[in-house]
Amino acid sequence: GAGVSQSPRYKVAKRGQDVALRCDPISGHVSLFWYQQALGQGPEFLTYFQNEAQLDKSGLPSDRFFAERPEGSVSTLKIQRTQQEDSAVYLCASSLAGGGATDTQYFGPGTRLTVL
Amino acid sequence: AQKVTQAQTEISVVEKEDVTLDCVYETRDTTYYLFWYKQPPSGELVFLIRRNSFDEQNEISGRYSWNFQKSTSSFNFTITASQVVDSAVYFCALSEGIMKTSYDKVIFGPGTSLSVIP
């Protein structure tokens, strides 16, 4: 497709369940970012991939959060043993290069995760 | 540490009024980028502008204009003759740029919710 797509758009999980959120970046984009956006807040950086390499995971809130991008395109964010505080919108963004004077991050529509 | 402040949580204006959204940032870096993003009710963040810390020229794009003042660490956004379609949450953001890292590690402000009333 032309833009970044994410699935599912909505996910309801019971506390303790594992979830997997998928991101399809724009074709050819080297860089992929995951953000967490709590209700009424701005997005917060979680992790960054350059191709298949995870170069920065400093924003992942705990070891229950794990992200991968094995072939340098599609990425999955996995949350194990979900907690209520994990409820948020998870945004994925991709960019051609990752940074620089003219580079732009294009965002997907997000996955709204609700943990009951 | 880097920080972005958007003091206005919510703003309501009547259609055709001008509105300015304030943004103040903190950074110790001399090279950085500033951004504005729009988040309509659909949820998808839409890129509006990217500004290099060395470029203090104001920018105008249609009804949108941006005022970057390094002396006050501000990067304000003005919408002229607002329209109902401008209703959205607007985020100001800051990145250290690629001097330190090879990618934009973007720090977002808390957002300003703009409602344009017909």
Side-chain angles (χ1 to χ4, degrees):
Chain A
V4 178
S5 60
Q6 293 185 245
S7 61
R9 290 294 312 277
Y10 303 91
K11 177 69 179 177
V12 178
K14 291 183 179 178
R15 190 162 56 97
Q17 280 185 334
D18 298 348
V19 297
L21 313 180
R22 177 187 169 105
C23 172
D24 280 86
I26 294 173
S27 178
H29 277 194
V30 167
S31 295
L32 187 144
F33 304 79
W34 282 100
Y35 294 85
Q36 181 190 58
Q37 185 175 19
L39 189 64
Q41 303 295 318
E44 291 191 2
F45 171 86
L46 292 177
T47 187
Y48 165 69
F49 288 87
Q50 187 178 81
N51 295 308
E52 70 278 4
Q54 189 175 20
L55 299 187
D56 188 339
K57 52 183 180 180
S58 62
L60 296 177
S62 76
D63 57 9
R64 296 186 295 102
F65 286 70
F66 172 75
E68 60 182 7
R69 193 186 184 197
E71 296 178 359
S73 55
V74 171
S75 176
T76 304
L77 176 67
K78 298 179 180 178
I79 309 173
Q80 297 177 325
R81 304 181 303 282
T82 52
Q83 304 293 316
Q84 286 189 322
E85 61 263 29
D86 300 335
S87 296
V89 175
Y90 290 86
L91 295 166
C92 175
S94 71
S95 70
L96 191 58
T102 59
D103 203 38
T104 298
Q105 289 185 30
Y106 295 91
F107 283 80
T111 295
R112 182 177 296 278
L113 173 65
T114 303
V115 181
L116 303 176
Chain B
Q2 292 185 313
K3 185 179 178 182
V4 177
T5 302
Q6 295 179 256
Q8 303 148 310
T9 305
E10 295 183 3
I11 300 177
S12 287
V13 298
V14 176
E15 200 171 19
K16 297 184 183 177
E17 286 184 348
D18 299 347
V19 58
T20 295
L21 309 182
D22 297 332
C23 173
V24 174
Y25 62 92
E26 294 176 31
T27 181
R28 293 180 183 175
D29 295 307
T30 56
T31 303
Y32 51 89
Y33 294 105
L34 295 164
F35 307 82
W36 276 93
Y37 279 87
K38 174 182 179 179
Q39 190 172 43
S42 61
E44 197 162 326
L45 279 163
V46 177
F47 168 81
L48 296 178
I49 189 170
R50 175 192 191 103
R51 175 50 51 88
N52 186 306
S53 56
F54 294 113
D55 181 5
E56 285 193 72
Q57 280 195 343
N58 291 333
E59 181 152 343
I60 298 174
S61 176
R63 295 184 298 107
Y64 296 169
S65 62
W66 291 270
N67 184 321
F68 176 28
Q69 292 201 350
K70 237 174 168 177
S71 60
T72 55
S73 297
S74 65
F75 187 44
N76 296 338
F77 173 32
T78 297
I79 302 174
T80 303
S82 59
Q83 300 176 1
V84 173
V85 293
D86 296 328
S87 296
V89 180
Y90 290 86
F91 293 98
C92 180
L94 167 70
S95 167
E96 289 178 320
I98 60 172
M99 296 300 286
K100 274 190 182 179
T101 65
S102 61
Y103 58 95
D104 285 330
K105 191 166 182 177
V106 181
I107 307 297
F108 285 84
T112 296
S113 178
L114 174 65
S115 296
V116 180
I117 304 165

